[in-house]
């Protein structure tokens, strides 16, 4: 609701949010990207600021305006996002990895524009895997600092969505995973969202549905409570 802006449960906390889609260059004019708009991550950064936090937003490609009153670091590739995030995460009480990170990047980037070859000929791109930023920052001692991941999954049923989410949080080692179902027309670039949040044991701690702003507020309430040691 609109009373949420008056909740100051992140006062004195430092919050890091990554948002948007990374882009992996192929040549000077082309890249491999994804359909993330960055809206949910930007909404989380704004909501955390409104709840009193000092917010750092690491923004890959985002299709919405960047919020006022937060420190912004711009990145393009997964490698740049990894570098910025591994430096900033240890300085923050809460890190929310809402960015859509490209799983792969081209083996090599061409210095000149890749030319079309003979008519009708196929082109094969060779890709290598990017490092897993969320797993990297989740590993090792964290002294009470929280790390939250996001997972957009294409699942036909809620059960399947839950199973995918539970397997993913076990792999990543983060404290919470925000899971949402996506398809060709839902999740990305839309105004609203429906998510469920899993804890490290795979239990559902909250379900939130509505505008990306209200979803941001609902899930931040859970993370703020966890930071202050509430059950
Ligand atoms: N993530 C990351 N580094 C990567 C890939 C993903 O930090 N190289 C983070 C995302 O920011 C997100 C979470 O991991 O918070 C889950 O991303 P997702 O793409 O769902 O997970 P993957 O492990 O890449 O699995 P999948 O095969 O389903 O893409
Ligand atoms: Ca992925």
């Amino acid at each position: 609701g609109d009373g949420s802006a008056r909740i100051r449960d992140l006062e004195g906390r430092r919050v890091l949010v990554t948002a948007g889609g990374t882009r992996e260059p192929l040549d000077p004019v082309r890249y491999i990207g994804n359909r993330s708009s960055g809206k949910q991550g930007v909404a989380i950064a704004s909501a955390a600021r409104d709840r009193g936090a000092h917010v750092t937003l690491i923004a890959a490609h985002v299709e919405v305006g960047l919020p006022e009153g937060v420190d912004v670091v711009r990145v393009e590739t997964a490698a740049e996002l990894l570098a910025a995030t591994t430096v900033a995460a240890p300085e923050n009480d809460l890190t929310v990895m809402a960015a859509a990170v490209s799983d792969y990047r081209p083996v090599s980037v061409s210095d000149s524009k890749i030319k079309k070859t003979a008519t009708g000929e196929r082109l094969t791109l060779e890709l290598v895997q990017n490092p897993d930023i969320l797993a990297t920052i989740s590993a090792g001692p964290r002294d009470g600092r929280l790390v939250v991941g996001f997972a957009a999954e294409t699942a036909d049923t809620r059960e399947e969505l839950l199973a995918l989410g539970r397997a993913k949080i076990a792999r990543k080692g983060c404290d919470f995973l925000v899971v949402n179902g996506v398809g060709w027309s839902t999740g990305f670039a839309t105004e609203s969202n429906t998510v469920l949040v899993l804890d490290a044991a795979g239990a559902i701690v909250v379900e939130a549905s509505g505008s990306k702003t209200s979803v941001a507020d609902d899930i931040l309430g859970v993370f703020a409570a966890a930071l202050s040691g509430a059950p």
Side-chain angles (χ1 to χ4, degrees):
D2 69 353
S4 54
R6 285 177 288 279
I7 298 170
R8 303 279 295 180
D9 55 1
L10 290 172
E11 193 84 65
R13 302 290 193 185
R14 295 179 65 93
V15 174
L16 176 67
V17 181
T18 70
T22 61
R23 290 178 164 182
E24 306 295 332
L26 284 160
D27 70 14
V29 298
R30 304 185 182 98
Y31 58 84
I32 296 174
N34 61 68
R35 291 163 58 88
S36 172
S37 65
K39 276 182 192 162
Q40 186 63 77
V42 166
I44 291 165
S46 301
R49 172 204 60 203
D50 291 347
R51 294 171 95 102
H54 175 284
V55 178
T56 303
L57 174 63
I58 304 182
H61 175 75
V62 299
E63 283 166 11
V64 289
L66 295 177
E68 302 280 311
V70 312
D71 293 341
V72 175
V73 179
R74 299 306 306 257
V75 297
E76 175 104 358
T77 64
E80 290 169 10
L81 181 60
L82 173 71
T85 306
T86 50
V87 168
E91 298 165 355
N92 282 272
D93 302 294
L94 169 64
T95 295
V96 181
M97 280 288 305
V101 186
S102 180
D103 291 333
Y104 296 91
R105 66 177 183 277
V107 167
S108 61
V109 182
S110 172
D111 284 336
S112 54
K113 193 181 159 198
I114 298 166
K115 299 301 285 180
K116 186 164 63 179
T117 53
T119 306
E121 206 170 84
R122 290 185 181 185
L123 173 71
T124 302
L125 293 173
E126 205 181 342
L127 307 176
V128 290
Q129 232 174 72
N130 279 323
D132 192 317
I133 302 164
L134 178 60
T136 303
I137 63 166
S138 297
R142 283 197 263 114
D143 301 321
R145 288 181 291 106
L146 293 181
V147 177
V148 176
F150 265 69
E153 305 284 0
T154 48
D156 292 328
T157 63
R158 178 188 162 86
E159 260 175 21
E160 192 193 344
L161 189 68
L162 265 172
L164 289 167
R166 286 175 173 144
K168 190 159 285 179
I169 195 167
R171 273 206 312 277
K172 300 286 188 178
C174 51
D175 299 290
F176 296 100
L177 188 70
V178 183
V179 185
N180 75 313
V182 293
W184 289 104
S185 59
T186 53
F188 291 126
T190 58
E191 290 309 323
S192 64
N193 207 1
T194 299
V195 305
L196 49 88
V197 180
L198 300 179
D199 67 13
I204 299 173
V205 290
V206 73
E207 298 197 47
S209 194
S211 71
K212 289 185 176 178
T213 300
S214 88
V215 167
D217 260 313
D218 290 351
I219 66 177
L220 280 173
V222 172
F223 309 148
L227 275 175
S228 42

